[in-house]
Amino acid sequence: MKHSKRLWMMAAILISGVGFVGCGNKDAKKQVKEEPVQVEQVVSDAELCNVAVNDYLVNVIGKNYAEAEYCIPSPFIISTDDGNKDNVLVWGDFWVFNYDVSGDTLKTVSGGDHPGLMHLKKTDKGFEVVSFEAVEDGAGNLESAKRIFGDKFDAFWELNSNQEKREDIRLHFVADYVKKHNLPVKMVQDYGWPAVALPE
């Protein structure tokens, strides 16, 4: 009985192994030769766009706030249209925060929300933001948001009005920044609120 059970298990392993190796083997060879270049190019452009957006948030928008040790952008991208490399469109709810380090905690000094549409242009070094259509403050807020986001307004509003979701995304941006820059912190604390642990 034990012998036949062992044979059955060996057969099952062999069958599943053949399935993994044999399934679409010719297509897999084609993908190895053809797809990596395409995927690499797409990822490269997307990463370069992200760098440009973050740079704009830190060096243009972030400069308007009270200074701190670290400026960490949190760009919540709603949609992107990169069909024209001279005018790549990035719709987003763009947040930026300035923090000081105190012990193992990043303490929020300043920052805010800047929803709108960024226009990017491809350059020899990557991409750069050439203009930014910002949603208006005050009385014109809703009207300008609908005009700028158009058919993407519902997606924008769903994110913008969901504080819990926004906070979760922000904490992940901060955690990624902390890891990338090897900062000795584990918490974030907004003024008047208890410290919150960063996600791992």
Side-chain angles (χ1 to χ4, degrees):
M1 189 73 176
K2 283 185 181 177
H3 185 66
S4 61
K5 195 172 185 180
R6 198 173 287 164
L7 281 173
W8 180 85
M9 286 176 68
M10 291 285 286
I13 291 167
L14 283 171
I15 289 167
S16 58
V18 169
F20 284 124
V21 174
C23 182
N25 204 23
K26 289 181 181 177
D27 290 338
K29 283 182 182 175
K30 283 183 186 175
Q31 287 175 355
V32 169
K33 289 178 183 176
E34 297 169 5
E35 281 200 4
V37 175
Q38 283 184 328
V39 171
E40 199 173 302
Q41 185 62 39
V42 171
V43 170
S44 176
D45 276 358
E47 284 297 320
L48 290 171
C49 281
N50 287 339
V51 168
V53 167
N54 286 337
D55 183 68
Y56 187 85
L57 287 172
V58 171
N59 294 307
V60 178
I61 293 177
K63 296 284 186 188
N64 295 319
Y65 289 104
E67 286 185 30
E69 292 175 83
Y70 298 98
C71 182
I72 304 178
S74 299
F76 309 155
I77 306 300
I78 305 296
S79 184
T80 302
D81 180 352
D82 61 354
N84 178 0
K85 298 300 180 187
D86 287 329
N87 188 24
V88 175
L89 307 175
V90 181
W91 290 267
D93 195 8
F94 303 107
W95 289 78
V96 62
F97 294 94
N98 292 325
Y99 302 92
D100 281 337
V101 174
S102 177
D104 67 350
T105 304
L106 280 173
K107 296 206 170 191
T108 307
V109 172
S110 59
D113 181 24
H114 299 268
L117 170 60
M118 290 194 185
H119 295 259
L120 283 70
K121 181 179 181 179
K122 189 157 191 177
T123 67
D124 294 339
K125 296 178 180 178
F127 286 86
E128 66 177 4
V129 176
V130 293
S131 65
F132 178 48
E133 295 179 60
V135 171
E136 294 175 24
D137 291 328
N141 180 269
L142 190 60
E143 186 182 335
S144 65
K146 286 182 175 179
R147 175 178 52 79
I148 290 169
F149 284 94
D151 61 359
K152 301 158 191 63
F153 176 78
D154 288 345
F156 157 69
W157 192 251
E158 183 183 342
L159 175 63
N160 184 264
S161 60
N162 188 333
Q163 185 176 351
E164 190 177 326
K165 188 174 183 179
R166 282 199 330 261
E167 184 61 12
D168 181 61
I169 295 171
R170 176 176 76 121
L171 289 176
H172 279 86
F173 273 116
V174 173
D176 288 345
Y177 184 95
V178 164
K179 286 175 190 170
K180 185 177 178 182
H181 295 86
N182 295 313
L183 301 185
V185 296
K186 298 176 181 176
M187 316 277 281
V188 171
Q189 185 174 20
D190 293 335
Y191 182 77
W193 291 87
V196 177
L198 289 170
E200 293 183 10

